[in-house]
Amino acid sequence: SFCCFLRFDEIKEGDVVRHDGKRSDGYLEHIFKHAAKELFGMDVKEITYKALKNKDFQEVTLEKDGETVLRFAATYGFRNIQNMVLKLKKGKFLYHFVEVLACPGGCLNGKGQAQTEDGKPDKALLHQMEEVYAAIPVRLPETNMHVQKMYQDWLEGMDSKKVQETLHTKYSAVNQTASNLDIKW
């Protein structure tokens, strides 16, 4: 979130916006649409989630000329996260981006939410929260004047060396040593 760069007195109630996606945990949708446009020149209006093993492990793909060019996954709940880590270790998890959330059903379904008297999630309240969230207008980060100002004033432009150094990451293999914690999945 870029709110930390703004003074709170500049934000009015009508300024509340959200990213693309139907739920509070839908960054996958925003990033997928942005990647499709930036990498492949494709303007994706709606994305389709395909449930794989269960409703909390879903896949989104983009095809161009009969070839899958983007493969994203959304995985919620520790069982699905554990399966994802096992597949990663075996080199059989071929996704370009994965959205991971600990709570089954996503953040709005988390343990911090209201429950019924018998301790179960309040599905009516969950549905109501999703509707309220979906009613908030979508604004892409690149159209936000505060984000544009941050790029110009702090990052010295969109394609600057400072942007590359600050916002881009390079990954490399890490050698396993005896001092590493041995986490068994």
Side-chain angles (χ1 to χ4, degrees):
S1 173
F2 294 103
C3 291
C4 59
F5 294 103
L6 307 175
R7 289 189 358 230
F8 286 108
D9 60 352
E10 293 176 359
I11 299 173
K12 299 173 186 67
E13 186 176 336
D15 290 342
V16 176
V17 293
R18 66 181 173 94
H19 55 74
D20 247 334
K22 296 183 175 41
R23 299 164 54 147
S24 66
D25 45 290
Y27 286 103
L28 178 148
E29 187 166 336
H30 170 72
I31 293 169
F32 185 86
K33 289 177 179 180
H34 185 75
K37 188 171 192 167
E38 291 295 315
L39 299 174
F40 303 103
M42 298 176 70
D43 193 15
V44 177
K45 297 291 183 204
E46 292 290 323
I47 68 171
T48 303
Y49 287 85
K50 176 184 170 188
L52 297 179
K53 291 186 176 188
N54 56 60
K55 68 179 178 62
D56 281 344
F57 192 98
Q58 299 182 22
E59 179 181 77
V60 178
T61 58
L62 178 71
E63 290 189 11
K64 185 173 184 178
D65 302 325
E67 181 184 349
T68 300
V69 292
L70 283 181
R71 186 180 307 272
F72 283 24
T75 179
Y76 307 142
F78 283 112
R79 182 178 302 138
N80 289 319
I81 294 169
Q82 184 178 21
N83 289 334
M84 179 193 72
V85 171
L86 287 171
K87 287 181 181 180
L88 276 168
K89 288 173 105 175
K90 294 178 182 178
K92 296 181 179 181
F93 198 75
L94 307 174
Y95 291 96
H96 297 105
F97 176 90
V98 182
E99 181 173 73
V100 178
L101 293 163
C103 297
C107 290
L108 290 180
N109 196 41
K111 287 295 182 183
Q113 302 303 334
Q115 298 178 347
T116 58
E117 287 184 19
D118 60 356
K120 294 183 179 175
D122 188 335
K123 293 194 185 289
L125 179 60
L126 176 62
H127 182 69
Q128 185 180 3
M129 287 188 299
E130 288 174 346
E131 284 181 346
V132 168
Y133 183 77
I136 298 170
V138 171
R139 181 167 67 189
L140 299 175
E142 55 267 29
T143 66
N144 183 318
M145 68 177 183
H146 298 291
V147 172
Q148 292 174 0
K149 185 166 175 42
M150 182 187 71
Y151 267 97
Q152 290 308 314
D153 296 350
W154 186 62
L155 294 170
E156 302 165 358
M158 294 290 279
D159 296 319
S160 71
K161 183 179 179 185
K162 194 165 186 178
V163 165
Q164 291 295 320
E165 292 170 351
T166 307
L167 302 179
H168 294 253
T169 303
K170 290 183 181 175
Y171 296 95
S172 58
V174 176
N175 293 329
Q176 296 291 332
T177 64
S179 64
N180 287 350
L181 292 176
D182 189 16
I183 300 173
K184 299 211 186 241
W185 292 88

